[in-house]
Every structure is written in C-alpha cells, then in structure tokens.
Amino acid sequence: MIPIDAYTWLKALHVACALLFVGGVVASSLVLVAGREARARVAPVQRRWDRLITVPAMLGVWAFGISLATSGGWFTYGWLQAKLVLVVLLSAVHGLQSGQIRRLTAATDVKPLRAAALVIPSVIAIAILAVLKP
C-alpha cells in the first residue's frame, strides 16, 4: 500500500469541504428562488443544514486551502489570487443568503438575492483555476 502524505490529505479534505460548501450555497439559492409557500416550508430545514453542514464546510475550505497554499508557497501566484477573490465572493454570497434564510424563518418576506446568479460561474472558474493553475 502506498502511504498518503499530508499534502494529499489536505487536498482531499479541502475538496470534500468545497463540495459540501458549494452544495449548501446552491441549495440556499434554490430555496430563495422558490415560491413563497415553498420557501416558508423549507427555510427552517435549510437554515439548520446551513448551520450544521455548510458553515463548517466553508471554514474547512478556508483552513485547508490556506494550509495548502502555505505549503505550496502559492500566495504570489496570479491563479491563486484570482481564486481567492472568487472564494471571498462566494463566501460573501453565502453570508447574504444565510441572512435571508434567517429572515425567512422569522416569517419576514424576502426578495431573492440576485447575487445567487454568480454562484455557478464562480464555482466553475474556481475549479478551472485550481486544476489548471494557469
């Protein structure tokens, strides 16, 4: 059996957390664009998912990502700087969505967040930057 080094574990954990984080952000986007009745029914469940899964996954993405970038000495590379901008944007969208879902659970009428349209293109760009490292 081939031993797995620390870099490989960090990368695997980073990718696993990224999948959970992005899944949570996409799920929140879907809840927020659903009809009023569906939002009222699903918002409490999504809020719980967000607290238990999405937020810890986001923190894991940041922690493991910073560890990877530090170990690789990549902070001066343009691809990582561009990726960081997109990850900050995605984290900000998540924060805005979390606030909207919190207000939905308090029975406040909320207009859907237009920034949710940035989620899919941002995720695609992040994946391209991470894999190709142009």
Side-chain angles (χ1 to χ4, degrees):
M1 181 160 189
I2 300 171
I4 300 174
D5 62 350
Y7 172 80
T8 304
W9 275 109
L10 283 174
K11 187 163 69 166
L13 291 169
H14 178 70
V15 170
C17 286
L19 290 170
L20 289 170
F21 173 54
V22 169
V25 172
V26 170
S28 292
S29 297
L30 293 173
V31 168
L32 291 169
V33 298
R36 183 176 296 182
E37 289 178 22
R39 283 190 308 214
R41 235 181 10 259
V42 177
V45 175
Q46 180 60 29
R47 184 167 185 222
R48 199 168 350 165
W49 177 270
D50 191 63
R51 281 194 328 256
L52 296 174
I53 306 296
T54 308
V55 170
M58 179 184 68
L59 296 174
V61 166
W62 277 102
F64 296 127
I66 289 170
S67 296
L68 286 166
T70 301
S71 70
W74 298 328
F75 283 107
T76 59
Y77 289 74
W79 67 267
L80 182 63
Q81 293 170 3
K83 183 181 170 191
L84 284 171
V85 167
L86 292 169
V87 174
V88 167
L89 174 69
L90 200 56
S91 297
V93 168
H94 170 256
L96 293 170
Q97 288 178 332
S98 294
Q100 285 188 310
I101 289 174
R102 186 181 66 250
R103 286 188 291 283
L104 277 175
T105 58
T108 305
D109 195 28
V110 174
K111 291 184 180 179
L113 180 67
R114 299 220 182 262
L118 300 172
V119 172
I120 301 301
S122 295
V123 170
I124 291 168
I126 289 167
I128 289 169
L129 290 167
V131 173
L132 298 181
K133 295 177 177 56

